[in-house]
Amino acid sequence: MTKYYLRQRHSIDDGVNIVFDENFQASYLVSGRTGKKHDELHVQDMSGNVLVRIEQTSFGILPRFSLKYRGHIVGSISFTLGHLGDIVYIRHLGWLISGNFIAGRYITTHNTKKLLSVKPELRQDGIYTQLKITFDSQAPVHIAIAALLDIWGTKSNPLTRLKWLPGQNDSYELTS
């Protein structure tokens, strides 16, 4: 299992997010946005080559997305109502994502094999999403999906509107 760290979306001001490996060396870049039809999220390697694109194909309360890896559509994602016990199915890949997207804790499985586990981790410079990826060749796809779920969970979280999350307000500090 390889660990990657993705800075949580509510903690960054610009549109580019750097993904770090377990030694905290920059590995990937995540950029883009969602919210409107044809908006895209991109995962790039450090050379600037786009590896994964997630394009929003519909908008509204339950948006849909197409997942492209190296220019080929490999899956589609659609969200459902109900955010307390979240489940998302990635069509064509047969991946099931279950957990709590608002809390940032979930796993991705295929049949009985765990592909990814995600949990938040507090570091000195903010809150990161820790991704434990089973197969390193799938890392860019999992990073793209985790970035999408981070945005989705942040939009669904009422605390973001109140500026109570770490990194949103200078006067807020997390105690351990």
Side-chain angles (χ1 to χ4, degrees):
M1 285 195 149
T2 307
K3 287 183 187 176
Y4 290 96
Y5 296 92
L6 172 70
R7 189 130 188 217
Q8 287 192 352
R9 190 67 173 209
H10 61 79
S11 300
I12 61 173
D13 294 326
D14 57 1
V16 178
N17 199 346
I18 300 172
V19 180
F20 300 96
D21 63 10
E22 52 198 23
N23 299 320
F24 238 75
Q25 300 296 315
S27 298
Y28 298 100
L29 298 173
V30 177
S31 62
R33 55 182 246 162
T34 63
K36 297 179 182 174
K37 191 172 181 180
H38 302 298
D39 281 352
E40 287 187 342
L41 281 178
H42 306 106
V43 174
Q44 304 170 354
D45 60 15
M46 293 310 291
S47 302
N49 301 319
V50 176
L51 303 173
V52 179
R53 291 179 192 267
I54 296 182
E55 180 184 359
Q56 188 164 347
T57 57
S58 71
F59 60 95
I61 297 173
L62 303 174
R64 293 181 187 207
F65 302 87
S66 67
L67 178 62
K68 297 176 185 174
Y69 178 67
R70 298 190 185 265
H72 302 286
I73 294 177
V74 295
S76 65
I77 305 166
S78 59
F79 294 108
T80 58
L81 291 173
H83 263 289
L84 298 177
D86 290 333
I87 294 178
V88 171
Y89 182 72
I90 311 286
R91 288 183 182 86
H92 307 298
L93 290 175
W95 293 357
L96 184 68
I97 306 170
S98 61
N100 188 330
F101 303 141
I102 292 174
R105 293 181 179 274
Y106 52 90
I107 62 169
T108 301
T109 57
H110 178 63
N111 296 332
T112 59
K113 181 71 176 170
K114 186 193 308 184
L115 303 176
L116 169 74
S117 65
V118 175
K119 69 176 185 175
E121 183 174 310
L122 180 63
R123 301 189 67 89
Q124 293 176 350
D125 59 340
I127 299 176
Y128 286 80
T129 300
Q130 180 194 78
L131 293 85
K132 287 185 185 175
I133 299 174
T134 303
F135 301 109
D136 204 36
S137 62
Q138 297 174 346
V141 176
H142 288 298
I143 290 168
I145 293 169
L148 177 66
L149 293 177
D150 181 40
I151 292 169
W152 182 254
T154 301
K155 284 182 179 178
S156 302
N157 191 341
L159 294 180
T160 58
R161 290 180 207 73
L162 299 173
K163 305 282 187 194
W164 287 357
L165 292 171
Q168 287 186 309
N169 188 345
D170 294 334
S171 64
Y172 180 87
E173 291 186 27
L174 210 70
T175 57
S176 40

